[in-house]
């Protein structure tokens, strides 16, 4: 080879290494969320992970998950989650995860946004699920995508009624939720025959493929930011949609995915709070002070990105430690996330002392 000739093999290797040029079309889909989380962890200066406490937490988490027989079936056991394994449940889950963001409130438990449904008062994430169930009971087709683009039938007043509160506080980011419904309805209409089922089928039973499809076609699922000069992906709601399908359908039908373990933890508020309580994650004094003073952190601020990225990586480390303890454990990041979220809510109800969750107002989580 002369000095003037191009070494195409070397060029292809460099392109692969630095992510340049077209990728291998035959390669399995990758979300890059875990890869980006490791990058954030490797470059984080305000959030740290503790491996000693991670190893101790892995022992306790494995023990408790086994004692509780924690599995995908746990998801459907909650009284508010749909039970049927059909298209109505598919549409319910898509609507739920389309709007699954920003439920924290500055008000007291008695004054915050709440939904009363069948004699029970629900707050937080469960207030959304209760509101959707209540709307369906009242004959409002809130989980039908074609309804979202009908600005007369699905008017702002109708949506205010759907998300009406038992208190004076309305659901946070109400306009943001309207925008998500409208956009999703339009995209589904134009590209997927107004069918969530067609969308899922286009994912070709790949969890990563469906997550990427959501992020590519719907801006309201494109949960990305710039950290240390690099684009990083979190894709919380896109990933939790796939995870909820997997759990609700017990890995079959709409919930069948060949690569479900590519889904990471869902970077939000409660799991970072739980990781801090377990000693797995710690914050620099200025950041911890801001969180304890209940001061907001702007979306895409370095602190927020470090909390989210390090949380994803912490759950991955916990998963690896659990598998070291029991190589055949039926465990993945989804189940660890679900378990820690439930545990955080249990501790909250029991008034166990913990650092407050960080406060960022965003449609991403």
């Amino acid at each position: 080879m002369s000095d003037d000739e191009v070494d195409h093999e070397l060029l292809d290797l460099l392109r692969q290494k630095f992510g340049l040029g077209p990728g291998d079309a035959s390669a399995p889909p990758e979300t890059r969320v875990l890869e980006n989380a490791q990058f954030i962890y490797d470059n984080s200066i305000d959030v740290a992970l503790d491996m000693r406490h991670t190893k101790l937490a892995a022992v306790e988490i494995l023990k408790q998950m086994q004692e509780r027989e924690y599995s995908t079936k746990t998801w459907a056991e909650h009284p508010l989650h749909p039970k049927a394994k059909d298209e109505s449940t598919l549409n319910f889950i898509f609507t739920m995860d389309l709007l699954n963001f920003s439920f924290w409130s500055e008000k007291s438990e008695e004054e915050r946004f709440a939904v009363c449904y069948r004699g029970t008062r629900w707050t937080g994430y469960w207030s959304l699920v209760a509101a959707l169930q209540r709307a369906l009971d009242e004959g409002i087709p809130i989980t039908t995508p074609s309804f979202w683009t009908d600005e007369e039938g699905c008017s702002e007043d109708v949506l205010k009624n759907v998300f009406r509160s038992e208190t004076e506080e309305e659901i946070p980011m109400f306009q943001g939720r309207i925008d998500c419904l409208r956009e999703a309805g339009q995209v589904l209409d134009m590209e997927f025959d107004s069918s969530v089922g067609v969308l899922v089928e286009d994912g070709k039973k790949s969890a990563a493929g469906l997550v990427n499809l959501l992020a590519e076609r719907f801006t309201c699922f494109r949960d990305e930011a710039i950290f240390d000069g690099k684009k990083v992906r979190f894709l919380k709601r896109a990933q939790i949609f796939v995870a909820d399908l997997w759990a609700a359908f017990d890995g079959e039908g709409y919930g069948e995915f060949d690569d479900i373990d590519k889904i990471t933890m869902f970077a939000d508020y409660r799991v970072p709070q739980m990781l801090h309580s377990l000693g797995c994650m710690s914050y620099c004094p200025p950041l911890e002070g801001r969180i304890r003073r209940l001061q907001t952190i702007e979306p895409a601020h370095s602190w927020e990105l470090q909390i989210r990225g390090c949380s994803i990586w912490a759950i991955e480390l916990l998963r690896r430690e659990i598998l070291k303890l029991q190589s055949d454990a039926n465990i993945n990041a989804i189940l660890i996330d679900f378990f820690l979220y439930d545990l955080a809510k249990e501790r909250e109800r029991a008034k166990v002392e913990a650092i407050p969750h960080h406060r960022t107002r965003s449609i991403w989580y």
Side-chain angles (χ1 to χ4, degrees), residues 192-222:
F192 302 100
D193 298 328
S194 286
S195 170
V196 180
V198 171
L199 168 67
V200 172
E201 287 173 10
D202 282 1
K204 300 177 181 178
K205 296 185 179 180
S206 168
L210 182 52
V211 166
N212 288 341
L213 187 60
L214 286 164
E216 176 187 338
R217 304 296 176 84
F218 301 79
T219 58
C220 60
F221 278 110
R222 199 172 299 147

Side-chain angles (χ1 to χ4, degrees), residues 17-147:
K17 177 176 177 60
F18 295 106
L20 302 174
D24 182 356
S26 64
E30 299 291 342
T31 69
R32 304 190 71 178
V33 172
L34 187 62
E35 171 191 329
N36 292 167
Q38 184 177 14
F39 172 80
I40 293 172
Y41 167 70
D42 288 343
N43 293 278
S44 178
I45 58 174
D46 302 301
V47 179
L49 301 182
D50 185 307
M51 278 310 301
R52 185 174 70 88
H53 281 93
T54 298
K55 291 176 183 292
L56 293 172
V59 173
E60 187 60 26
I61 289 169
L62 176 61
K63 176 173 175 287
Q64 290 198 37
M65 290 182 77
Q66 290 177 333
E67 288 175 354
R68 302 185 190 201
E69 298 182 342
Y70 208 86
S71 70
T72 55
K73 292 181 173 61
T74 308
W75 189 96
E77 289 172 358
H78 194 280
L80 286 181
H81 277 156
K83 306 296 183 287
K85 297 189 188 311
D86 58 19
E87 191 174 8
S88 68
T89 291
L90 171 65
N91 287 342
F92 189 99
I93 292 172
F94 184 81
T95 310
M96 181 179 76
D97 289 326
L98 182 63
L99 304 175
N100 183 3
F101 56 82
S102 199
F103 299 106
W104 59 272
S105 173
E106 300 287 4
K107 297 185 180 295
S108 67
E109 188 64 23
E110 294 72 28
E111 296 175 316
R112 67 181 298 187
F113 172 77
V115 170
C116 188
Y117 178 63
R118 295 186 176 179
T120 301
R121 185 178 187 274
W122 302 97
T123 58
Y125 159 75
W126 296 113
S127 65
L128 168 66
V129 188
L132 296 179
Q133 294 285 18
R134 180 179 64 184
L136 293 175
D137 288 354
E138 294 171 351
I140 302 170
I142 188 60
T143 60
T144 302
S146 59
F147 177 65

Side-chain angles (χ1 to χ4, degrees), residues 33 100 211 223 234-244 246 260 263-272 308 311-312 315 332-339 341 364-365:
V33 172
N100 183 3
V211 166
D223 179 9
F234 301 97
L235 306 181
K236 186 263 185 178
R237 289 188 296 107
Q239 289 203 103
I240 206 169
F241 170 60
V242 172
D244 284 346
W246 176 68
I260 192 63
I263 300 300
T264 71
M265 165 266 192
F266 320 114
D268 61 1
Y269 309 102
R270 290 299 185 179
V271 174
R308 298 185 77 198
S311 296
I312 294 171
I315 296 300
N332 61 19
I334 297 171
L335 289 174
I336 298 172
D337 181 290
F338 284 173
F339 175 75
Y341 177 88
W364 304 127
Y365 61 102

Side-chain angles (χ1 to χ4, degrees), residues 175-191:
Q175 186 57 52
R177 295 174 203 278
I178 293 178
D179 294 343
C180 286
L181 285 171
R182 301 280 192 235
E183 186 213 347
Q186 291 167 1
V187 173
L188 287 170
D189 178 52
M190 291 187 294
E191 303 192 36

Side-chain angles (χ1 to χ4, degrees), residues 19 48 69 170 199 253 293 303 326 355:
E69 298 182 342
E170 73 170 20
L199 168 67
R293 290 192 298 271
W303 281 348
Q326 185 177 323
I355 192 172

